[in-house]
Amino acid sequence: MTQDRHTTQPEGPAERAAQRAGERLVAERRVRAVAQAGGYGTEFAWAGSVPTFVTFERGVTEAQTDTRAGVTVERYPFEKLEAWRDWETARTEAPLALLATSRVTYDPTGGYGRIQRTLWNLSDAQRAAHRADLLNQAAGQLQATRAAHTGPGHGVQEQLLALADARSAALNLLYPALLTWLHLWPEFEIRLPHAWRASAGLRFPKAVYRLEALYGFGGEEEARRVLLATRGLGLVEQERRARAAFQAGYYDGAVRYLRDEAARTHRADLSGWMHLTPARREKLGTLLGVTRAPLGPAALSLAQELLEAVREGE
């Protein structure tokens, strides 16, 4: 998990490239804090781990993501280094999990460290309030989806959109809310199903069962089917990353990633489902897992059950 702070020494060309990237960032005068994020460089690194740095920089006015030569840099305005020390400000605008789980490498003012101490030392009441906020946001999203995509006159495309929206709420709001019970922060890497099983599966079996049911995992066989379905849909980079996960044995991780990426990048296709060619519908249907996962109202009902399990800590 990214919560672990232990790092390993660079050993190969990729590691040396990442080290040089980190050194260049520290050397830039406008950069006022640097941290490494994700599993890369830790004992939990794997073949698909991407070197990722988080920086606070002068001259940056809004969050930016740059990826060059296999290294990703998440850039934030220097002013946020001070502002996000305040929990009430951070909870509404900061990338909490990214900041909490990153490993600080350069922090001359101590601002990054103070942000992390704030996030890791929240009181029970603060965590409960944050959980309630996430649950309320999820409830609102599910209600809006139910109004927009269920009821008389709605067909296949609405069922698919409802599934996509239910998964989005589950992944981005309900899973983080579940981890507040443990005072942990999410790991948003491609092997995510394996991470949530390890962190929350034994403590909260009802919630994790429902979270997984939304995705319709099927191990190696399903991962093979989903990977093949990416062809011709413009998912070249996503297919490459998912294949690395597959080769490492993270079969469900590859499926989770491609299900969510297909829904994100092909939302217009879902909205115009009946106008697609049969071949395109078949590929997208495989990617989304329409024969394995609940659709429409069933997906929303399952997400609602997940919400209740998270609320009760079950």
Side-chain angles (χ1 to χ4, degrees):
M1 294 287 292
T2 51
Q3 280 86 341
D4 193 284
R5 307 300 177 86
H6 299 296
T7 59
T8 57
Q9 294 299 314
E11 298 175 348
E15 289 80 2
R16 287 193 291 271
Q19 184 183 47
R20 287 194 297 271
E23 291 170 348
R24 284 195 299 271
L25 287 169
V26 170
E28 291 185 19
R29 292 178 62 86
R30 66 183 182 181
V31 175
R32 305 311 303 148
V34 180
Q36 284 185 278
Y40 189 91
T42 75
E43 62 183 286
F44 299 104
W46 60 289
S49 295
V50 177
T52 303
F53 293 91
V54 183
T55 67
F56 287 87
E57 305 182 20
R58 294 190 183 277
V60 173
T61 58
E62 60 184 15
Q64 302 172 5
T65 300
D66 299 323
T67 299
R68 299 177 186 175
V71 176
T72 294
V73 181
E74 303 283 354
R75 306 180 190 274
Y76 296 95
F78 167 68
E79 293 76 14
K80 299 301 184 183
L81 198 58
E82 176 72 21
W84 289 345
R85 289 170 53 188
D86 176 68
W87 167 239
E88 295 303 322
T89 301
R91 67 191 288 193
T92 62
E93 61 182 48
L96 299 176
L98 183 69
L99 296 175
T101 60
S102 52
R103 303 170 301 283
V104 178
T105 58
Y106 176 68
D107 187 22
T109 67
Y112 207 130
R114 285 190 286 271
I115 291 174
Q116 290 195 316
R117 285 193 292 276
T118 295
L119 297 179
W120 283 109
N121 290 287
L122 297 176
S123 67
D124 290 345
Q126 287 174 316
R127 287 187 285 117
H130 182 45
R131 180 166 59 250
D133 283 347
L134 294 171
L135 290 171
N136 287 337
Q137 290 179 53
Q141 286 192 16
L142 294 176
Q143 183 178 6
T145 296
R146 190 172 288 107
H149 302 311
T150 64
H154 288 151
V156 175
Q157 61 194 40
E158 286 83 12
Q159 293 192 54
L160 297 174
L161 289 167
L163 172 61
D165 289 352
R167 285 172 174 166
S168 177
L171 183 70
N172 298 315
L173 296 170
L174 296 177
Y175 172 51
L178 183 65
L179 290 187
T180 63
W181 287 104
L182 301 170
H183 204 172
L184 294 177
W185 300 95
E187 174 182 310
F188 286 106
E189 290 195 338
I190 198 170
R191 55 185 173 177
L192 233 186
H194 311 271
W196 73 48
R197 289 167 190 160
S199 62
L202 291 177
R203 177 78 179 273
F204 307 110
K206 287 185 179 180
V208 171
Y209 172 81
R210 285 164 174 77
L211 179 57
E212 302 221 332
L214 276 170
Y215 281 94
F217 295 127
E220 184 175 4
E221 182 180 351
E222 179 66 6
R224 288 186 189 278
R225 293 179 65 245
V226 171
L227 278 166
L228 286 173
T230 61
R231 306 296 167 81
L233 292 177
L235 297 170
V236 177
E237 177 61 22
Q238 290 93 336
E239 191 269 347
R240 184 189 67 78
R241 292 197 64 203
R243 190 163 296 281
F246 179 91
Q247 291 170 347
Y250 292 117
Y251 305 125
D252 293 344
V255 170
R256 196 287 307 168
Y257 176 65
L258 288 176
R259 295 234 199 284
D260 287 335
E261 283 297 293
R264 182 183 68 83
T265 60
H266 288 76
R267 180 94 180 178
D269 278 343
L270 301 188
S271 297
W273 186 259
M274 301 311 296
H275 301 292
L276 303 181
T277 64
R280 194 171 183 86
R281 284 202 297 265
E282 182 178 0
K283 287 182 178 181
L284 280 171
T286 299
L287 279 166
L288 293 171
V290 297
T291 63
R292 300 186 58 88
L295 300 175
L300 294 173
S301 293
L302 186 58
Q304 185 65 40
E305 291 174 9
L306 169 59
L307 188 152
E308 297 302 330
V310 172
R311 176 178 284 132
E312 297 302 321
E314 296 180 334

